[in-house]
Amino acid sequence: MIFRQLFDSVSGTYSYLLASRRGGEALIIDPVLEKVERYLQLVNELDLRLVKAVDTHLHADHITGLGALRDRTHCVTVMGEQTKADVVSMRLADGDKLGIEGLALDVIYTPGHTDDSYSFVLPDRVFTGDTLLIRGTGRTDFQNGDPRQQYESIFGRLLKLPDETLIFPAHDYKGETVSTIGEEKAFNPRLQVKSVDEYVHIMNNLNLSNPKMMDVAVPANMRVGLHQDDIASRGWAVTAEQALALVGRPDVALIDLREQSERERHGVIPGAIHLPYARLQENIAAGGMLHELAKSTSKQLLFYCAFGERSAMAVQAAQDVGISSARHIQGGIDAWRKASGPLVH
């Protein structure tokens, strides 16, 4: 496995680049906007293809690199389903898998620091975001934080992992880079409590000042969505209500860009062809399925995904290679469901 721990000294943020091999797919966890060029340089040096950019939660101390990485690499942006961010390509829930070629991370909902905090687990390590830090825990006094929830996330979920599990947090301010579950059980001062009430008392009396970047970072991080209005202004979008009249027509090919786990969980629009976003480029290239479908028929290609971000990128990419019939459902399955569109499970 390729694994790199990257540090932003201004915000004390750790970002993590993972891949299963050189030349393969990669994902990055908790990227910082100011470090995007460094990430892309490293991705290029290691001959990787960045396919997913993930935030463990809505950050208050730095502006996320999710949007910039998406715009530069067309990667999928990923957060938990509770996020207040306007649009991310994929939203995860407890028990899901966060996957790329050769790697699958278990998704654990670990609220408490914020109400959208998640941790991601590999067999030998866990990425804990701000939930569990090295010799500390994330504050719980803003963004719908809750010390009781955090106690359960830590004691009920994270500390149940094997003691030798490596802990890689999203932040450290003392120069620590890694710990283990066993070490934190033994030496983390906030975990040496005898009850949830004792933990709550500690967390409610930290009296910390707000992060310096909070007033800037939180609003910025809530607006990471691709501007789908740009696609609509070119006439390349249909609303969910308009799409209702198109489904089933012989001159329309409906293309589902989501991953199989999303289809199983949220349902499928009847008659859709499943062609995951990760394979888009090969499908729209000369000789690819969608390229040939568009060339040999008069069908309109109607893309959709979860929230419209992947499908908007797909439309632009298809138009760029001359597939002029490409359109997408603005707002994705989320908008389709709100319009009472039929779904098959």
Side-chain angles (χ1 to χ4, degrees):
M1 183 177 74
I2 293 173
F3 173 73
R4 297 291 184 274
Q5 183 180 41
L6 303 152
F7 187 60
D8 173 50
S9 59
V10 176
S11 62
T13 301
Y14 285 123
S15 304
Y16 301 95
L17 181 70
L18 291 83
S20 64
R21 62 177 180 88
R22 280 183 174 266
E25 295 181 349
L27 66 81
I28 191 167
I29 298 173
D30 288 331
V32 176
L33 178 61
E34 288 79 7
K35 299 295 183 182
V36 163
E37 291 299 332
R38 174 60 185 134
Y39 305 147
L40 295 177
Q41 178 186 352
L42 184 58
V43 165
N44 183 61
E45 289 170 350
L46 298 178
D47 189 29
L48 300 174
R49 184 163 64 92
L50 188 69
V51 297
K52 287 179 180 172
V54 187
D55 268 347
T56 53
H57 63 288
L58 191 76
H59 295 283
D61 50 11
H62 68 269
I63 297 177
T64 178
L66 257 60
L69 288 169
R70 174 206 60 219
D71 294 342
R72 296 285 297 277
T73 69
H74 304 295
C75 67
V76 173
T77 55
V78 184
M79 290 185 74
E81 63 181 357
Q82 293 82 2
T83 183
K84 303 297 191 300
D86 55 352
V87 177
V88 289
S89 297
M90 181 182 296
R91 298 190 184 208
L92 299 171
D94 187 69
D96 283 350
K97 295 277 190 183
L98 171 62
I100 59 171
E101 173 202 15
L103 288 176
L105 292 82
D106 292 320
V107 177
I108 304 179
Y109 181 41
T110 50
H113 171 62
T114 65
D115 60 355
D116 66 344
S117 292
Y118 277 78
S119 298
F120 303 103
V121 184
L122 285 171
D124 67 338
R125 67 194 66 194
V126 57
F127 303 93
T128 55
D130 284 11
T131 300
L132 178 58
L133 306 176
I134 298 174
R135 308 302 191 263
T137 57
R139 61 192 297 174
T140 58
D141 57 337
F142 59 81
Q143 288 183 264
N144 297 315
D146 184 324
R148 289 185 181 274
Q149 282 190 329
Q150 190 176 62
Y151 179 91
E152 177 55 33
S153 294
I154 294 171
F155 284 87
R157 305 297 301 273
L158 295 175
L159 297 187
K160 297 292 180 67
L161 295 170
D163 282 356
E164 61 273 19
T165 305
L166 299 171
I167 293 173
F168 290 102
H171 290 284
D172 191 84
Y173 309 100
K174 305 180 296 295
E176 304 287 351
T177 57
V178 63
S179 183
T180 67
I181 292 294
E183 281 182 47
E184 294 310 304
K185 283 180 180 177
F187 304 119
N188 190 319
R190 292 190 189 166
L191 305 187
Q192 311 310 308
V193 293
K194 295 182 174 59
S195 68
V196 62
D197 290 335
E198 186 180 349
Y199 185 79
V200 168
H201 177 77
I202 291 172
M203 299 306 293
N204 283 344
N205 289 278
L206 295 178
N207 298 318
L208 300 172
S209 58
N210 282 342
K212 294 176 184 178
M213 284 281 291
M214 182 174 177
D215 291 341
V216 174
V218 171
N221 290 339
M222 291 175 68
R223 293 193 297 272
V224 297
L226 184 73
H227 295 297
Q228 295 182 45
D229 290 347
D230 293 344
I231 298 297
S233 70
R234 299 185 182 103
W236 299 342
V238 299
T239 66
E241 290 78 11
Q242 291 169 330
L244 283 167
L246 297 175
V247 172
R249 279 179 32 173
D251 59 338
V252 175
L254 200 60
I255 314 297
D256 187 346
L257 298 170
R258 297 171 301 156
E259 296 185 2
Q260 184 60 30
S261 60
E262 297 175 276
R263 289 161 51 86
E264 292 171 357
R265 185 166 161 227
H266 298 293
V268 179
I269 299 177
I273 301 168
H274 183 213
L275 293 174
Y277 177 78
R279 291 167 45 202
L280 176 69
Q281 292 303 322
E282 65 186 76
N283 279 312
I284 63 175
M289 178 178 174
L290 294 180
H291 189 278
E292 294 306 306
L293 182 64
K295 187 172 74 170
S296 61
T297 73
S298 58
K299 287 180 183 289
Q300 178 183 152
L301 303 185
L302 186 58
F303 295 109
Y304 76 90
C305 61
F307 299 97
E309 184 166 292
R310 278 170 283 181
S311 58
M313 290 190 289
V315 168
Q316 183 66 66
Q319 292 283 344
D320 287 346
V321 298
I323 303 177
S324 60
S325 66
R327 303 290 185 273
H328 87 124
I329 300 177
Q330 193 160 9
I333 279 285
D334 184 57
W336 177 262
R337 186 185 300 108
K338 291 172 181 174
S340 300
L343 291 168
V344 177
H345 287 270

